[in-house]
Amino acid sequence: SGINAEYGSDTSHATVTPLVKATFEEIFIDQMSGGPDKARKKRCNTCEVCLAPDCGDCSTCKDMIKFGGSGKRRQGCLNRKCPNMAVQAAEEDDEEEAEKVEKKKKKKK
């Protein structure tokens, strides 16, 4: 019973007016845009680095259950960091920016 049961234990008890909420979202739009619907970067799964086996020697491999660790980190092998991930993310950002520009042009017409 009580507020925590109704709203969940991770919510704030602060009162936020619509004006404050709108102002906050406008100022911090970049930090708030990383919600659950944001696409994650993924490995390409085609390059030599992605297809290599886990080394078993780095700190993340030592934490993996298959190498006797606790599995708490849940990270990939440090030697298998895909060099193409950043390139894919940059291409996606460029496509999104191009789509935004096209939408603005259509609105002006």
Side-chain angles (χ1 to χ4, degrees), residues 6-61:
E6 187 176 338
Y7 295 108
S9 61
D10 61 339
T11 59
S12 172
H13 299 288
T15 303
V16 180
T17 64
L19 176 62
V20 171
K21 183 178 179 181
T23 305
F24 187 86
E25 288 176 352
E26 185 177 320
I27 293 171
F28 298 105
I29 189 86
D30 295 334
Q31 289 94 353
M32 295 175 70
S33 64
D37 58 337
K38 185 176 179 182
R40 300 175 106 185
K41 292 187 217 175
K42 295 182 181 178
R43 292 183 184 153
C44 68
N45 289 322
T46 57
C47 67
E48 189 176 325
V49 177
C50 286
L51 299 175
D54 292 330
C55 70
D57 295 327
C58 67
S59 59
T60 55
C61 281

Side-chain angles (χ1 to χ4, degrees), residues 40-109:
R40 300 175 106 185
K41 292 187 217 175
K42 295 182 181 178
R43 292 183 184 153
C44 68
N45 289 322
T46 57
C47 67
E48 189 176 325
V49 177
C50 286
L51 299 175
D54 292 330
C55 70
D57 295 327
C58 67
S59 59
T60 55
C61 281
K62 288 179 181 178
D63 183 63
M64 293 180 187
I65 294 173
K66 67 181 179 181
F67 293 114
S70 64
K72 209 174 212 181
R73 288 188 190 177
R74 305 187 93 194
Q75 297 288 314
C77 177
L78 294 177
N79 295 327
R80 294 184 60 204
K81 295 289 181 188
C82 181
N84 299 327
M85 278 188 0
V87 173
Q88 290 174 351
E91 288 173 2
E92 290 171 2
D93 290 343
D94 290 342
E95 290 172 5
E96 289 174 7
E97 288 178 23
E99 290 174 6
K100 288 179 185 178
V101 170
E102 288 177 21
K103 286 181 183 178
K104 286 182 181 179
K105 286 181 182 178
K106 287 180 182 179
K107 286 182 181 179
K108 288 182 181 180
K109 289 183 180 180

